[in-house]
Every structure is written in C-alpha cells, then in structure tokens.
Amino acid sequence: MPAVDKLLLEEALQDSPQTRSLLSVFEEDAGTLTDYTNQLLQAMQRVYGAQNEMCLATQQLSKQLLAYEKQNFALGKGDEEVISTLHYFSKVVDELNVLHTELAKQLADTMVLHIIQFREKDLTEVSTLKDLFGLASNEHDLSMAKYSRLPKKKENEKVKTEIVKEVAAARRKQHLSSLQYYCALNALQYRKRIAMMEPMMGFAHGQINFFKKGAEMFSKRMDSLLSSAADMVQSIQVELEAEAEKMRVSQQELLSVDESVYIPDFDVAAPHINRNLIQKAGYLNLRNKTGLVTTTWERLYFFTQGGNLMCQPRGAVAGGLIQDLDNCSVMAVDCEDRRYCFQITTPNGKSGIILQAESRKENDEWICAINNISRQIYLTDNPEAVAIKLNQTALEAVTPITSFGRKQENFCPSQNLKNPEMENDQVVPKVTASVPEAEQLIAPGTPIQFDIVLPATEFLDQNRGSRRINPFGETEDETFPDAEACCRKQAKTSLLQPILSTAHLTLGCMHIGSRPEATVVLSRKCCLADSLLQQMFIVRFLGSMAVKTDSTTDVIYEAMRQVLAARAIHNIFRMTESHLMVTSQTLRLIDPQTQVTRANFELTSVTQFAAHQENKRLVGFVIRIPESTGEESLSTYIFESNSEGEKICYAINLGKEIIEVQKDPEALAQLMLSVPLTTDGKFVLLNDLPDDTDGSSSENRGAESEA
C-alpha cells in the first residue's frame, strides 16, 4: 500500500499557519468523502430496495400460482396438468423467494450497514471534533486577547493570575481537541478505504451465494478476486491498528509535558534568552490605527525571511512582506499600557510598526533577532557564527581585560580625518604607540548614564529667559541672531569681512547630498563666529561615563565597549534621539520635537573625538569640565548616528581649526581656500556623498540650493 498522508501531532500545540493550511486540505478531503458517501449510500439503498421488492414479488407470484386451483372457471375441466405444473412452479418460486430473502438480508448486513456505520460513526465523529476544535480555538483566542490587555500594575496580580489560569486551561483544551481532531483525520484516511471495499465484498458474496448452483465458473473467477480483496482489507486493518497504537502513545507523551508549556511568560523572573538568533517566528500582536486616536491590535503569525519581516494570517497559503529590516533599529516602547511592546524604526528615522510579544523572553529574543538581521549578518558565509561572536563580544565587554592588545592593533585617530577629496594628495604616516591598560583609561565599576535628559514633554527651557513662549510648541530660530546683535559685534568681526568677500563665500544653506541630517550653513551677513560652520546630524544617545584620561582616543573605544556591553546585558534598548548641531563654537544637542537645547558643550572643552573602527555609525567625544573645587573632570559621551561617525568627527575637527585660525585672518583665509570647490565655485565643507565614480557627486552638488 502507498504511504498515507497524515497530520503531525507534534505541531498541534504550536498551531502555526502551515499546520492550519495542511489541516484545511484534510478537512476538504473529509468534506468530499462525506458527499461521495451519501451518494454511494443512496445507490446501495436503491439496490437493497430492489432486492426487497424482488422478494415480495416472488412471494406474491408463488401465491398467485397456487390460487389458480381455487379459481372456479366455468370451463375448467382438463386443467389438472396445468395446476400441477403451476404447483411445481410455485415451489420453485418459493425456493427462489427464499434465496432472494437471504440475498436481501445479506445485502443489508454486509453492504448497506457498513456504509451507514461509516457515515454515522467516522464521518460524524470528524464533524463533531471539528466543531469542538473550532470552539476551543475561539476560546483560546479570547483568553489570549484578555491576557494581552493585562496592564503592568502590580495591584492587578490577582486578575493576572486568574487570566493566566484561564489562558492555560484554554490552551490545554485546544491542544487536547486538536490532538483528537488530528488523530480522527489521520485514521479517516485508512477507514475510508475499508468503507469503500467492505460493502462491495458483501454484495459480491451475496450474489455468488445466490447464483452458486448455476454459476460455478463465475464463482471460481470471483473467488480469487474476493480472496485478494479480503487479504487487502486485512492488511489495511493491521496498519490501522498499528497507527492507532502509535497515535495513542504519542498523544499520551504530548499530554504528559510540563504545565509550563501552556502558561505564557512562565519564566518571567529569569528567562533564558537566545541572543544569537538570525531568524525568528511566532505570534505577535500588531498595532493598527483605525482613526486619529483609536487603534486595534491583531494577533498574527510573524516570521523573518532573509532581511524581511513577513506576516502570515491564519489559513493563508503564504506570508506577505511587512517591513524591510536592513539597517532598521528596534527598541522597547510603552504603548497603551501594554506589556512587552517594541517598535521597529526605518533607517530614515521614521516610526515603523509596533508589535507586542506574549512574554518577556519572546520580546527580548525578537529584539535581538531584529538587531542581528539589521546588521545584515544573514549575508555572511556563516551567519550563526558571526552572531555568536558579536554577542559574545558584548557579554565579555563588562569583564575587565588586561590590555587593549586584544582589540584591533591598526588604529588611525579620527582627529586626523580630512576631506575625502584631499586624502589622495596627503600621506599620513602611522605612528606606533604603546596601548594603555583598561584600568588606566576608565576606573573599574564606573557608573554609566543611559539617558542624557528628561523626556521632551518635561523640559524647562533654560535659554529663553523671560522671552514669550510660543503657544504652538515652536521655538524661535536661534541659529541667526537679530540685526541689533549683529551690529553690536560688527567691530569684532570686521577683519573677517574682506576675507569672506575675497573667497566669494556662497550665502545661505547648502544641503550636502540632499540629506536632512547633514546641513552646512555659510553666511557673511551674520557676524557671529558660529555662522562660519553649522552642521546638523541626527544622533541617538547611548550613554556617558566618567574617564580618567583624555590623552588618547583609546578611552573613547573603551567607553563604547562598556556602554554597548551594559546595554546588551541589562536589556536596555531604548535610546533618546536628538539633533547634534556642530558649530565653530559649541556642540549642541537639540530636541527634535521642541527645538530646545538639551545639552551645550563648548568646542574648546572637547579634547578627544573618534568614530568606531568597525561600526562606522558609532561616535564619541571626551569633554573636560572644570569643577568648583578647582579641578577638572573628564566625561565621554557615546552616540549612534544615522550617517557615518567620521563625518561628525570631521565637522568637529573643522570647528576646532576655525577657532584656532580666527586669531589670524590670513590663516582663516588659507583655511577657506583649502576647502574644495564644486564645479560652480561654491564651497563644500563636508563631502556627504558616497565614494563612487559614477558622476552622481557632481549632479548632487549642482543641486545645492543658494540663498
């Protein structure tokens, strides 16, 4: 016999869309079998009815033959031979009637009864289990919806316990009903073969017994066929019994598992989280906006495929694309008083989708998996090994190391960064220096601050003084001072005017590469020194900590290592996004919503700055701050930017050079002349374009706007 398709009982608890899709095939097959069985039963009942009619007909015929003698024919003389012949025929018909009666009884017992039992027992059982499975699934969905809406308040522990018990009971009920339903559908594939063959065997046996006296040859031909058919039925019966025993044992093993498999978030205290995942699948709640202020949550099956996040509704054959995860960022968020929510943000900084996991373990593993995918680890030859290496590095980062020799030995300070167009004409010799110990850079156990300011809705603007507050949440543009302030400082900057005029500086704002996060402002009408350089970057604050020295950029790399490691170990994924404004005087962190300055650092207090050598989006700088005691403290600040960190370092380096050359007008003019020009004679302070040779650079530069 060919192999029989069957449902895997091990997948009943997960209840994935793939299992549901295969289940729908079995349900369609059962429905088709039910329709065919009804039609077959009607045909067999018609045969049985005809056979019963034949019995009644022969019985009536025999009586009518005997009744001929009792008729008072006026001309009935000489009918004795006819009467005796009719008596004989009556006996033959009576014997034939007995055979027809036995055949009718045999057809009822061996043909019609089997097909009726198959329909009323097996098919009805499958239909009943289908209804029970549907009710159990609906009950489980309702209980999961209740569970998903549980708030985070501790005073609701009693309600939480009751709902958790309800979810566990509903999940166990669904698991039991699905196992029974799957077993019935698997067994149906065997029983339908038996049900189709046994009635016809009974019909054939009855006909052979009926015609046995006159059909010896016919019976001999049928004996071999009936024998082979009987052997086939016997073998199917043996297979059915063996499969039924396997399913019974498997069902007992699956139902004997720990109760924790039915309880969501059972290990909330100390979940075992796999941080090396490069693919993930499972049910999540998707937040959908239905209006301006109304939202709905839909429980769907999500899975990752390469660098894409896919979604597959129940019953669907395949999944659809929801989000491209390459270079995306993910962080835990608070949303509508729901637990375990996280948000995926696109590379351009726009808010993406918000999802909710059913447990802390699932929430953390989804975040780790999306983080790994966003780094495009899946494109490497051995993505699992790369993910393990990266996460192992993060875990070891909080362990003190004896030397920086374990890191990369090839080091190029970011302060030596120049414009990429000028690098081909300059050769910077590499200097080999001894690498300091980790304890010489940062004291062991130094605390790390992960949030630089309060949320934007709780700020106090310390820079406005007594000026009027805009009721629409907007702030005055402080990039350019008013005319009166310009006039007051005209004398101090009079030496700069001839130089700027000679250099033919382009007035206004130039958007380098048409990217919003890198904006350079050149102006000669505004007389403040800040107008010589103003560049904006979108950054996310990762952390800050005190350091012991600022003599080398190794202290920045060590701070990056410890900050990222602390975030990975303590599951801190939330980051504060700000706009970093680099001018020729200060570094300012600006709130993107309110345009309020969160932090302000004098550029002269920045003693070190560098970008990460592998992750180009990481950048940091060291600030020297005088204390009230007369001493100075050193702190390093670590950020993640949307663009390359080297561009931020170049802007800082250019600002510090401007500060130095402002004392000498000739040096300032020389600095301006060293900045490369575009084809139309404009100054380009930063080259934010990709390093390609396809001619796109000149096109983008030509698109720069003029004041």
Side-chain angles (χ1 to χ4, degrees), residues 344-373:
I344 301 175
T345 305
T346 58
N348 58 10
K350 293 183 179 179
S351 298
I353 58 176
I354 296 179
L355 302 169
Q356 180 190 18
E358 69 176 31
S359 65
R360 176 186 172 188
K361 178 178 181 294
E362 286 292 308
N363 181 67
D364 292 349
E365 287 189 350
W366 270 107
I367 292 177
C368 292
I370 294 175
N371 272 327
N372 291 337
I373 294 174

Side-chain angles (χ1 to χ4, degrees), residues 153 304 677:
K153 298 180 180 179
T304 59
L677 296 175

Side-chain angles (χ1 to χ4, degrees), residues 8-15 19 174-175 178-179 182 254:
L8 298 179
L9 301 182
E10 294 79 5
E11 297 180 358
L13 178 59
Q14 185 180 5
D15 194 22
T19 305
Q174 183 192 20
H175 190 200
S178 61
L179 288 176
Y182 290 3
L254 293 175

Side-chain angles (χ1 to χ4, degrees), residues 80-196:
E80 289 80 14
E81 292 180 358
V82 174
I83 293 174
S84 62
T85 303
L86 292 177
H87 277 271
Y88 178 77
F89 281 123
S90 176
K91 292 179 181 179
V92 173
V93 172
D94 286 338
E95 293 175 358
L96 185 61
N97 181 52
V98 173
L99 294 178
H100 278 295
T101 303
E102 292 178 356
L103 177 59
K105 183 179 180 181
Q106 190 170 1
L107 291 178
D109 294 340
T110 60
M111 183 178 68
V112 180
L113 181 61
H114 284 300
I115 202 70
I116 291 178
Q117 288 179 344
F118 174 72
R119 186 185 70 172
E120 299 299 328
K121 180 181 177 182
D122 299 326
L123 296 180
T124 303
E125 179 186 6
V126 170
S127 178
T128 303
L129 291 176
K130 179 181 179 180
D131 295 337
L132 294 176
F133 175 70
L135 293 175
S137 297
N138 294 336
E139 183 179 350
H140 176 256
D141 292 341
L142 292 175
S143 61
M144 284 304 302
K146 285 184 181 180
Y147 175 78
S148 299
R149 292 193 297 268
L150 278 176
K152 298 185 291 185
K153 298 180 180 179
K154 294 185 178 180
E155 52 267 30
N156 295 327
E157 289 297 323
K158 182 177 180 181
V159 176
K160 176 183 175 181
T161 303
E162 293 176 357
I163 294 179
V164 167
K165 291 181 179 179
E166 181 181 349
V167 171
R171 188 168 291 181
R172 180 179 179 83
K173 182 178 179 181
Q174 183 192 20
H175 190 200
L176 178 60
S177 61
S178 61
L179 288 176
Q180 294 175 348
Y181 186 32
Y182 290 3
C183 291
L185 288 175
N186 290 339
L188 185 64
Q189 303 305 310
Y190 297 93
R191 292 194 176 102
K192 72 176 182 181
R193 300 185 181 185
I194 298 176
M196 297 299 107

